[in-house]
Amino acid sequence: MFDRKRAVVAVVMALAAGLAGCSAADDTSASGPEATATNTPASEWPASLPVVGDGFPSAGAPCRRIGESAATVNYLEDSASLVGCKAQADAEALGGKVLTVIDGITLVSVPNGASTVSVSSDAKVAGTDYNATAEIPCAGFRGQPMGKCQAGVKRNGEGGVTTVEVQWPGGGSRALFFDQQGKFISADTNQADGSAAYKTVSKRDGDLTTISIGPERYEILDAFIMGG
C-alpha cells in the first residue's frame, strides 16, 4: 500500500512539472519573436484610409486608390480618383492635385483618364514616334460601349498641330487634331466608315476635353495633349 501511494505522488509531481514547463514555454513565446510577428506590419495602410485595389495607376504601383471614410468624404468626386501615396515623390508623379496628408499618406486627386499617361515630356516613347501614350475613356466606335482605348500623341507637328491617334479594341482608329493651346480643331472623319456625316462637338471642362463625333466619345486631358 505504501509503495502504491508513493507511485501516485510521483506521477502527480511529474504532471505538475510538465505543466509548469509548458507555461514557461508559453511565456517565452509571448515575449519573444512570435509576439512581435503579431504586431501590425509597418507596410499596412492606416485604417482611416480604405484602400481599393493593389496599385495605382497599375497593379504593383506604390500608390493606392482610396475609398470613402470619415477622413476622405470631403475629398471624393465623380470626375477624379482619390489616390494615396506613402512617398511625396510618388504623389507628385501622378500629375494630379495634391490635397492633404492624412496619417502620413499624401492624398492626390487624379482626374479620370489621366492615370495611365506614360510620358509627360516631348521625348519619344521607346519604339514609337509618339511623345506620350495613354489609355483614354472612349465609346461609340462601331457600337463599342464606354471603356478605354489606347492612344498616342504627336505634339507640335506641321503648323504646330498636335495629333492624338486613338486605337480601338478590335481594330480601327480615329485621329484627333489640336492647336498649340490644346483646343480641339477637327478629326479625321471620312466617307468609308460613315463618320463624314457625323456632327462633331467638343466641350472643355477645366483641363478635360470631351469630343463627340456622332455616337463616338473621347475624353482627353490637357496634360496628355500638351505635356507638362
Side-chain angles (χ1 to χ4, degrees), residues 183-198:
K183 182 180 178 181
F184 175 70
I185 302 172
S186 64
D188 67 337
T189 56
N190 57 76
Q191 296 287 347
D193 63 6
S195 60
Y198 291 160

Side-chain angles (χ1 to χ4, degrees), residues 42-49 51 62-64 66 72 83-88 91 98-108:
S43 61
E44 286 192 4
W45 293 70
S48 58
L49 303 176
V51 172
C63 300
R64 297 289 188 276
I66 303 298
T72 66
V83 182
C85 303
K86 294 182 179 181
Q88 181 75 20
V98 176
L99 300 173
T100 188
V101 177
I102 295 178
D103 292 341
I105 303 298
T106 300
L107 296 184
V108 188

Side-chain angles (χ1 to χ4, degrees), residues 28-93:
T28 301
S29 175
S31 61
E34 290 183 11
T36 302
T38 63
N39 292 338
T40 302
S43 61
E44 286 192 4
W45 293 70
S48 58
L49 303 176
V51 172
V52 180
D54 57 358
F56 186 93
S58 58
C63 300
R64 297 289 188 276
R65 192 186 302 272
I66 303 298
E68 182 174 351
S69 70
T72 66
V73 65
N74 292 329
Y75 300 109
L76 296 170
E77 52 184 312
D78 293 336
S79 61
S81 296
L82 182 63
V83 182
C85 303
K86 294 182 179 181
Q88 181 75 20
D90 292 333
E92 294 174 350

Side-chain angles (χ1 to χ4, degrees), residues 17-224:
L19 291 173
C22 291
S23 177
D26 289 343
D27 289 343
T28 301
S29 175
S31 61
E34 290 183 11
T36 302
T38 63
N39 292 338
T40 302
S43 61
E44 286 192 4
W45 293 70
S48 58
L49 303 176
V51 172
V52 180
D54 57 358
F56 186 93
S58 58
C63 300
R64 297 289 188 276
R65 192 186 302 272
I66 303 298
E68 182 174 351
S69 70
T72 66
V73 65
N74 292 329
Y75 300 109
L76 296 170
E77 52 184 312
D78 293 336
S79 61
S81 296
L82 182 63
V83 182
C85 303
K86 294 182 179 181
Q88 181 75 20
D90 292 333
E92 294 174 350
L94 292 175
K97 179 182 180 182
V98 176
L99 300 173
T100 188
V101 177
I102 295 178
D103 292 341
I105 303 298
T106 300
L107 296 184
V108 188
S109 178
V110 182
N112 293 337
S115 61
T116 54
V117 176
S118 62
V119 176
S120 61
S121 70
D122 280 340
K124 294 295 178 66
V125 177
T128 76
D129 58 354
Y130 295 128
N131 297 118
T133 59
E135 283 188 331
I136 66 168
C138 59
F141 185 82
R142 296 175 182 169
Q144 290 276 355
M146 194 69 185
K148 293 292 183 72
C149 291
Q150 294 289 337
V153 60
K154 300 176 183 178
R155 300 190 181 113
N156 300 317
E158 186 176 351
V161 173
T162 289
T163 302
V164 173
E165 295 180 351
V166 183
Q167 305 295 327
W168 282 91
S173 64
R174 182 75 68 209
L176 310 171
F177 306 108
F178 300 82
D179 66 16
Q180 290 179 310
Q181 284 71 49
K183 182 180 178 181
F184 175 70
I185 302 172
S186 64
D188 67 337
T189 56
N190 57 76
Q191 296 287 347
D193 63 6
S195 60
Y198 291 160
K199 180 180 180 181
T200 299
V201 178
S202 69
K203 182 178 82 169
R204 193 166 182 176
D205 183 7
D207 61 352
L208 178 70
T209 296
T210 301
I211 300 165
S212 298
I213 304 172
E216 300 173 20
R217 178 184 174 93
Y218 306 90
E219 297 178 5
I220 308 177
L221 287 162
D222 287 350
F224 183 55

